[in-house]
């Protein structure tokens, strides 16, 4: 991980954004900005390099075979991840899961990728709250509205702007989204679509949506403009060390894993 300050260096910041669009986190620290290159390497074997949380010991997916496809694979994964699950909406779950790897007193917000104090729970119109990346208004299965694999720390204003809009590609179209502190983000929105922008957030929301579909029986197009967009984001925005660590932390607390973080290739085998 590389960390460096860009406070007051707008030209350097612009260059970093251009060269590393998928792997930049903007860290709000008073008047300055710190950019963190998080890396984006994929690990499809489970676990991860961070010692926080609980890794897969290699047996978690032992019942999955290479020949499984479509509904067969979906049902086999559901049988694995739905056993002895302990969902919770407690703030502490998200303070742990979304911890900033460069500052353990902070969390990283899902869409804006900003670093905020863990204690900066939304107050008035600033701070962070808990975002259902699969909108809560579309949930009708018990437990899904408290599931740590679906809910992430999110800037209050960005969360509110997303609402229950479907996720889709805008690529500079629509309206730019600011966070609750007045900072610009990569996210853009229209009356019907929300796009976190060309960042690792696209991969995170794709894999959390796939998890929601397997775990609770939802469908991808309840949350995405199309299945092809969801699959494209999963393939393009690789699993990062941040996401691996998050999966391990949720596994420790909630007792199940997101299969599409451990095995992104399962997505094409089910929906491809």
């Amino acid at each position: 991980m590389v960390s460096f300050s860009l406070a007051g260096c707008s030209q350097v910041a612009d260059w970093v954004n251009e060269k590393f669009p998928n792997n930049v986190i903007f860290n709000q620290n008073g008047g300055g900005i710190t950019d963190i290159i998080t890396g984006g390497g994929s690990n499809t074997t489970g676990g991860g390099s961070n010692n926080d949380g609980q890794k897969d010991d290699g047996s978690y997916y032992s019942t999955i075979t290479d020949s499984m496809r479509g509904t067969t694979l979906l049902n086999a994964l559901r049988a694995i991840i739905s056993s002895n699950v302990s969902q919770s909406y407690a703030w502490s779950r998200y303070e742990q899961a979304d911890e900033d790897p460069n500052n353990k007193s902070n969390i990283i917000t899902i869409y804006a990728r900003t670093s905020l104090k863990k204690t900066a729970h939304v107050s008035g119109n600033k701070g962070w709250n808990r975002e259902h990346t699969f909108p809560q208004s579309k949930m009708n299965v018990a437990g899904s509205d408290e599931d740590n694999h679906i809910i992430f720390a999110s800037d209050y204003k960005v969360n509110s702007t997303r609402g229950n809009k479907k996720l889709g590609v805008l690529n500079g179209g629509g309206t730019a989204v600011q966070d609750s502190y007045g900072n610009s983000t990569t996210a853009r929105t229209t009356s019907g679509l929300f796009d976190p922008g060309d960042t690792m957030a696209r991969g995170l929301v794709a894999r959390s949506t796939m998890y929601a579909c397997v775990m609770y029986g939802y469908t991808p197009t309840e949350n995405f403009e199309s299945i092809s967009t969801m699959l494209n984001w999963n393939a393009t925005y690789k699993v990062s060390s941040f996401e691996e660590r998050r999966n391990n932390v949720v596994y420790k607390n909630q007792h199940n894993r997101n299969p599409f973080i451990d095995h992104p290739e399962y997505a094409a085998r089910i929906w491809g």
Side-chain angles (χ1 to χ4, degrees):
M1 180 177 295
V2 181
S3 177
F4 46 89
S5 176
L6 300 180
C9 303
S10 60
Q11 290 180 329
V12 177
D14 289 342
W15 180 86
V16 171
N17 286 335
E18 177 181 353
K19 296 298 182 182
F20 304 101
N22 302 338
N23 300 296
V24 176
I25 293 174
F26 299 98
N27 184 14
Q28 181 180 337
N29 280 322
I33 292 178
T34 300
D35 284 14
I36 306 168
I37 306 302
T38 63
S42 175
N43 181 329
T44 61
T45 61
S49 60
N50 196 300
N51 291 326
D52 291 340
Q54 180 180 348
K55 299 179 182 179
D56 172 22
D57 64 6
S59 64
Y60 194 75
Y61 302 102
S62 61
T63 59
I64 303 300
T65 65
D66 291 341
S67 64
M68 289 179 175
R69 295 289 187 279
T71 304
T72 300
L73 177 55
L74 187 152
N75 288 336
L77 289 173
R78 181 178 294 160
I80 293 170
I81 67 176
S82 61
S83 178
N84 300 314
V85 179
S86 176
Q87 298 99 323
S88 172
Y89 200 51
W91 287 96
S92 59
R93 289 281 185 99
Y94 308 98
E95 291 167 2
Q96 294 174 47
D98 293 309
E99 183 177 277
D100 183 343
N102 205 51
N103 184 345
K104 292 185 180 298
S105 296
N106 287 18
I107 52 87
I108 298 294
T109 60
I110 175 64
Y111 301 128
R113 310 309 299 159
T114 49
S115 181
L116 302 177
K117 292 291 186 184
K118 289 181 178 179
T119 55
H121 300 168
V122 62
S123 177
N125 60 0
K126 289 184 172 62
W128 66 274
N129 58 9
R130 293 156 291 186
E131 156 70 342
H132 296 76
T133 55
F134 193 104
Q136 189 173 9
S137 64
K138 299 180 180 181
M139 291 179 165
N140 56 12
V141 180
S144 58
D145 60 346
E146 295 187 339
D147 195 300
N148 303 172
H149 285 298
I150 301 172
I151 303 169
F152 290 71
S154 178
D155 177 85
Y156 165 75
K157 184 176 180 181
V158 180
N159 185 4
S160 178
T161 300
R162 191 271 161 108
N164 66 357
K165 297 171 186 174
K166 289 188 178 184
L167 298 163
V169 179
L170 291 174
N171 284 344
T175 302
V177 177
Q178 290 188 332
D179 68 15
S180 62
Y181 297 90
N183 298 311
S184 296
T185 74
T186 59
R188 302 191 74 87
T189 190
T190 66
S191 60
L193 280 183
F194 180 87
D195 183 357
D198 190 21
T199 72
M200 63 187 289
R202 282 180 170 177
L204 288 165
V205 296
R207 287 179 281 274
S208 68
T209 296
M210 295 171 189
Y211 167 89
C213 293
V214 171
M215 180 70 174
Y216 299 105
Y218 299 126
T219 61
T221 52
E222 289 179 278
N223 198 33
F224 266 84
E225 63 177 353
S226 67
I227 291 176
S228 62
T229 294
M230 181 185 74
L231 291 174
N232 178 268
W233 287 7
N234 174 60
T236 303
Y237 300 88
K238 307 297 185 182
V239 176
S240 66
S241 58
F242 176 90
E243 197 172 0
E244 290 173 343
R245 177 197 172 275
R246 191 181 201 281
N247 200 23
N248 292 335
V249 171
V250 175
Y251 183 33
K252 179 180 178 180
N253 291 332
Q254 186 169 280
H255 314 310
N256 71 343
R257 302 185 66 82
N258 183 335
F260 303 100
I261 296 174
D262 295 330
H263 292 276
E265 73 277 10
Y266 286 168
R269 285 169 56 179
I270 295 174
W271 293 287

